[in-house]
Amino acid sequence: MPDKNKYPFIEGKNISFCVPNLENIKLYASWDNHPEVRKYSRNLFPVNPEQYKKYLEDGQDRVPREIGFEVWHNADDKLIGFIGFNHINWADRYGNIGLTIGEPKYWNKNLGFEATYMILEYGFNELNLVKITGNAYEMNIGSWKICEKIGMKRELVLKKQAYVKGKYVDEYQYYIFKVDWDQLRIKIEFK
Amino acid sequence: MEDQVTFTFIRGDIIELWAPTLEKVNLYAKWINLPMARAYSRVALPKSVNLLKKILEPKSDEIMRTDIFLEIYHRDDKKSIGIVGLNNIDWINRKANISIIIGESDYWGKGLAIESLKLLFSYAFEDLNLHKLNAIVHTPNERSLRVFEKLNLSCEATLKDEIYVDGRYYDSKIFSLYKKDWLNRNKEEGALNAR
Amino acid sequence: MNEKKDEKGKLVYIPFIEGENVGLAPTNLDHIHLYTKWNNNPKARQYARNMIPRTTEDIKKWHEPKEGLTRHVGFEIWHKKDKVPIGTCGFGRIDWVDRNANIYMTIGEPKYWNKNLGTEASHLLIEYGFKELNFIKIYAGIFEPNVRSWSVAEKDGFVLEGIQKRDIYIDGEYVDARKYRLFKEDWLNRKT
C-alpha cells in the first residue's frame, strides 16, 4: 500500500493533527456520506469529492473564518477524521469547534476526548482565543459528554432547533474560557 | 490492502443509495437516455451529461439544492443498477418530485424500485423535513403506475393528453405522499415488527 | 420590479409587505451608500455588530441577488408618510430544513428612533416568517446593554433561551449576549 502523504502540524499522544490534503478528498466525502457518521455530523445532502476540492482551494489567501485539520491515528498511521474551528471571530476572539471521527472503528476509544484537548490547546495557546464553544444535538450523547468531561459548561439549550429523523430536537451549546482552561488542563493526562 | 472508498449515503436491506460521482456521469446518462425511459418515463432528470455534471458541481453553501439524486447499488451483486432522486425541491412549500430509473433491465421486476423509493421517502420526510412528495407518471408506463400504487401513494390528479408518445396523446397521473402519512405508516409497521 | 420613479426621478416606494406607518420593500443595491452609512453609524452599529456584516463588500455581497434560494432574505424599511427608506431588516442564517432563522433589524436614521417603528417593522417581518416562509422558530441575539431592544422582544413574546457570556467586545469590554427564541404557535396564540 502506498504511503499516504501527511503533513503533521500538531502531535499528540495517540493522534496527530495534519494539514488537510487534496489527496484525501475521497475519504472526506465518504465520511460525510456515511449513514452512521453523518447522523452525528448532521450532513443532509450527498456530497462528492469535488466539493472538497473547492473548499480547500478557495480558503487559501484570506484571513480564515475556518481552520481545519486531518486527524491521524499515530500507531495505525491511519487518517480517521477531521477537526477544527468552523466559525472564528477574530475581533471578539472566539471560535466554535467541529469534530468528526469518520471511521466507526475508532469510536469509543477516548480519541474524541484527546482531539478536543488538543484543539483547545491550539485555540487558546496559538490562536489566542479567549472563548471556545462547541455544540451538539441532544441525541448526540457522545459529543456533548466529551464537552462535559473536558470541563466545558453548558451555556444554552436551544429548544427544537433542528429536525432529525422525523422530529425536532434540542441543541446544546457548550463554552469554556481561557482562564478556566488554564486551570483544567493540568489535570488531564493521556496514556 | 486498502479498502475501496465508497460513498454509501443510505443503507437498506438489499439496496444502498450512494452519493453520485462525476466519474460515473456517463453511466447515469446512459440509464436516463434508455429508450424505455425516454418514451414513458420522461423523468425530470436532465438527459445530457453536461447538465448532470452541473448538478454534481461544487456549489456554494449559500444556495439550496433543487435536485438531489442517488445511485442505486445492489449490495450482494456489488453492482450499480439505477438512480433515484428528488427534483424541483421547493423548500418553502416543502415539496419535491420523485424520479426513479432502474437502468439495468436484469433488475426489473424484483421489487428493487420499491425498496429504493422507501429509502428515498424516509430521507425526504425524516431528514429533509419535506411535507409532500409528488410523482408524475405517464399512463403508458404501467410498471411505474403499479410501483406507486403498491407504495400506497394516492392519485391526486389526472392530466389529460399530457404527453405525446408513439403518435398519440396520453394522460399523466400525479401521485402524492404526505409526511404525516409516511411517519404514521412507519410507526404502525414498527409496532407490527416489534410484536 | 417593485420600484417606479416619479416625474422628478425620485424613488417611489412600492411595498412587498405593508404596515400602518412603515412598509417593507426588497433591498435595493442603489441604496448601498445608505446601508453602509447606517451600518457604520456609531450609535446604530454599537449593538448591531454581530447581526450585520461590516464592510461595504460584505454589505454588497450580503444583498446581491443570487440565483436560487439562499439563507438570507432582506428588506428595506420605508417610512410611508415621509417616503424615505429608514433602515433594513430581514432573516439571516435561514435553515430551510430545520425551519428556523435569525431575525435582524436596524433603524439606521436616528431621527426615526424611539417611535415604535422598529416594533412595527419586526411584527411585519415575524408574520412573514411564520406565515409565508413557513418557519417554526425565529431567534434573535441581543446584547445585554441594549435594554430597549430586548425589552421590546420580551413584550413581543420572545423567550430567553440563554445567555452567552462575554460574547462580544464593545467599547473596551466584553458584554453578554441574550439569546431569544419565538415559536410559531406562541406567536399565533399571543393575546393581541
Side-chain angles (χ1 to χ4, degrees):
Chain A
M1 182 187 86
D3 270 333
K4 272 208 177 128
N5 286 324
K6 63 178 198 183
Y7 308 101
F9 187 81
I10 300 174
E11 247 139 32
K13 196 92 198 232
N14 298 298
I15 52 175
S16 299
F17 293 171
C18 298
V19 176
N21 188 344
L22 273 172
E23 289 173 23
N24 296 324
I25 50 181
K26 276 203 172 148
L27 204 48
Y28 303 164
S30 79
W31 296 335
D32 279 340
N33 284 313
H34 190 295
E36 273 79 63
V37 177
R38 75 174 174 85
K39 228 189 336 190
Y40 298 111
S41 63
R42 192 111 190 291
N43 186 49
L44 287 174
F45 304 110
V47 289
N48 55 38
E50 281 64 33
Q51 288 170 321
Y52 298 87
K53 233 197 221 173
K54 185 171 196 286
Y55 163 79
L56 287 176
E57 285 165 352
D58 263 357
Q60 299 318 359
D61 359 282
R62 296 159 281 139
V63 176
R65 303 202 73 187
E66 298 182 1
I67 294 178
F69 301 103
E70 293 182 345
V71 179
W72 282 72
H73 192 268
N74 294 342
D76 298 353
D77 197 30
K78 196 169 152 84
L79 175 55
I80 63 169
F82 213 85
I83 193 171
F85 290 103
N86 55 36
H87 185 90
I88 306 173
N89 186 320
W90 295 106
D92 304 318
R93 292 166 68 197
Y94 64 75
N96 189 67
I97 305 173
L99 161 65
T100 302
I101 304 288
E103 301 292 332
K105 288 206 299 257
Y106 290 89
W107 292 353
N108 300 318
K109 292 185 192 303
N110 218 35
L111 297 174
F113 181 80
E114 188 172 340
T116 307
Y117 173 91
M118 286 162 64
I119 200 78
L120 288 177
E121 289 278 276
Y122 172 68
F124 287 131
N125 300 331
E126 295 199 51
L127 296 183
N128 204 6
L129 301 178
V130 160
K131 180 181 187 186
I132 292 179
T133 57
N135 42 27
Y137 298 115
E138 56 177 297
M139 74 286 174
N140 194 350
I141 302 175
S143 251
W144 57 257
K145 283 237 143 100
I146 291 179
C147 293
E148 298 201 343
K149 189 170 162 200
I150 210 155
M152 297 176 86
K153 300 201 201 83
R154 191 181 290 185
E155 189 164 56
L156 294 177
V157 175
L158 303 175
K159 303 213 71 67
K160 300 203 187 153
Q161 186 69 9
Y163 183 79
V164 177
K165 287 293 172 240
K167 57 188 187 121
Y168 291 98
V169 300
D170 298 345
E171 180 178 338
Y172 301 153
Q173 284 192 16
Y174 287 85
Y175 74 100
I176 185 162
F177 288 113
K178 180 170 199 298
V179 292
D180 304 321
W181 180 244
D182 289 340
Q183 304 304 314
L184 289 166
R185 57 186 294 277
I186 40 191
K187 305 185 191 142
I188 300 176
E189 254 182 44
F190 294 101
K191 301 185 187 55
Chain B
M1 192 186 66
E2 198 180 315
D3 289 319
Q4 261 296 83
V5 175
T6 62
F7 301 123
T8 313
F9 187 74
I10 298 173
R11 210 171 267 132
D13 292 330
I14 302 173
I15 291 287
E16 290 183 353
L17 299 184
W18 284 8
T21 58
L22 275 171
E23 289 166 358
K24 295 198 187 152
V25 146
N26 291 312
L27 181 60
Y28 307 150
K30 177 184 104 172
W31 290 333
I32 296 173
N33 283 299
L34 282 176
M36 180 225 96
R38 269 197 307 111
Y40 298 139
S41 292
R42 301 280 178 93
V43 290
L45 289 159
K47 293 180 178 35
S48 89
V49 168
N50 286 329
L51 286 174
L52 273 174
K53 277 188 186 168
K54 236 176 156 242
I55 294 187
L56 294 174
E57 249 168 30
K59 279 172 206 67
S60 112
D61 280 332
E62 272 291 305
I63 303 201
M64 292 299 282
R65 303 186 189 203
T66 52
D67 301 83
I68 297 173
F69 72 93
L70 296 162
E71 196 177 307
I72 304 172
Y73 179 79
H74 192 283
R75 191 184 297 129
D76 287 341
D77 294 359
K78 294 195 183 6
K79 196 176 156 102
S80 290
I81 62 169
I83 42 182
V84 66
L86 302 169
N87 313 104
N88 303 115
I89 305 174
D90 179 333
W91 296 102
I92 296 183
N93 296 306
R94 296 167 62 218
K95 60 185 166 103
N97 290 336
I98 304 164
S99 281
I100 180 161
I101 296 181
I102 306 289
E104 302 293 331
S105 48
D106 297 342
Y107 289 87
W108 291 355
K110 293 177 193 289
L112 298 175
I114 292 189
E115 181 174 339
S116 304
L117 287 168
K118 283 186 176 172
L119 296 175
L120 184 74
F121 296 162
S122 287
Y123 172 58
F125 293 130
E126 293 172 38
D127 286 0
L128 297 184
N129 204 359
L130 294 179
H131 172 70
K132 176 183 191 181
L133 293 177
N134 291 317
I136 302 173
V137 185
H138 309 301
T139 44
N141 192 347
E142 299 201 10
R143 205 187 284 277
S144 269
L145 287 175
R146 279 203 300 275
V147 162
F148 290 111
E149 280 162 8
K150 268 209 206 132
L151 284 166
N152 278 315
L153 270 71
S154 44
C155 178
E156 275 193 355
T158 302
L159 305 172
K160 280 198 65 56
D161 287 357
E162 187 71 1
I163 62 165
Y164 189 76
V165 175
D166 278 348
R168 55 155 282 196
Y169 287 100
Y170 287 94
D171 298 346
S172 299
K173 288 180 182 289
I174 303 186
F175 287 86
S176 302
L177 180 62
Y178 293 90
K179 170 169 107 172
K180 203 173 18 138
D181 300 328
W182 177 254
L183 294 181
N184 285 338
R185 209 191 286 185
N186 276 356
K187 237 186 281 168
E188 283 163 18
E189 272 175 29
L192 279 169
N193 290 335
R195 273 192 226 136
Chain C
M1 282 297 278
N2 276 45
E3 286 176 5
K4 274 194 334 217
K5 289 199 177 162
D6 64 12
E7 313 84 41
K8 299 191 190 130
K10 272 190 86 182
L11 278 164
V12 172
Y13 123 103
I14 298 174
F16 183 76
I17 302 173
E18 185 104 62
E20 207 182 302
N21 300 298
V22 298
L24 305 185
T27 54
N28 181 351
L29 283 176
D30 287 344
H31 295 162
I32 274 295
H33 58 285
L34 275 178
Y35 303 165
T36 313
K37 180 177 84 152
W38 296 335
N39 207 267
N40 289 305
N41 174 309
K43 285 231 180 76
R45 72 172 174 77
Q46 186 182 29
Y47 297 132
R49 261 176 66 164
N50 216 19
M51 307 296 132
I52 296 181
R54 305 162 207 195
T55 70
T56 327
E57 287 100 64
D58 279 339
I59 296 172
K60 243 208 189 144
K61 235 170 78 176
W62 183 246
H63 288 292
E64 233 159 28
K66 291 173 194 74
E67 253 194 65
L69 189 67
T70 64
R71 305 189 59 190
H72 167 232
V73 172
F75 296 97
E76 276 184 356
I77 307 170
W78 277 71
H79 194 275
K80 289 172 68 169
K81 206 150 55 115
D82 297 354
K83 295 196 182 26
V84 280
I86 61 171
T88 58
C89 65
F91 294 109
R93 285 187 258 148
I94 300 175
D95 192 317
W96 296 104
V97 175
D98 297 333
R99 296 168 67 199
N100 59 44
N102 184 69
I103 190 172
Y104 70 87
M105 206 205 19
T106 305
I107 305 288
E109 297 291 340
K111 71 182 224 220
Y112 293 100
W113 291 350
N114 297 319
K115 293 188 194 305
N116 282 330
L117 298 174
T119 307
E120 191 181 331
S122 57
H123 287 188
L124 294 175
L125 193 57
I126 293 170
E127 278 283 314
Y128 172 68
F130 288 135
K131 295 263 193 70
E132 292 200 55
L133 295 184
N134 216 346
F135 296 154
I136 63 145
K137 179 179 186 182
I138 293 175
Y139 55 92
I142 307 176
F143 300 116
E144 184 74 54
N146 193 357
V147 181
R148 191 160 46 92
S149 209
W150 59 254
S151 316
V152 167
E154 291 189 354
K155 251 198 267 155
D156 277 344
F158 279 84
V159 171
L160 184 67
E161 254 185 338
I163 297 187
Q164 284 177 319
K165 294 182 163 335
R166 284 164 65 185
D167 190 63
I168 189 171
Y169 200 69
I170 297 181
D171 292 338
E173 57 171 12
Y174 278 99
V175 300
D176 298 347
R178 298 173 75 103
K179 306 293 273 189
Y180 284 94
R181 69 140 193 272
L182 184 61
F183 283 129
K184 174 175 171 175
E185 60 254 20
D186 297 333
W187 174 256
L188 296 179
N189 290 334
R190 79 197 184 288
K191 304 182 206 96
T192 344

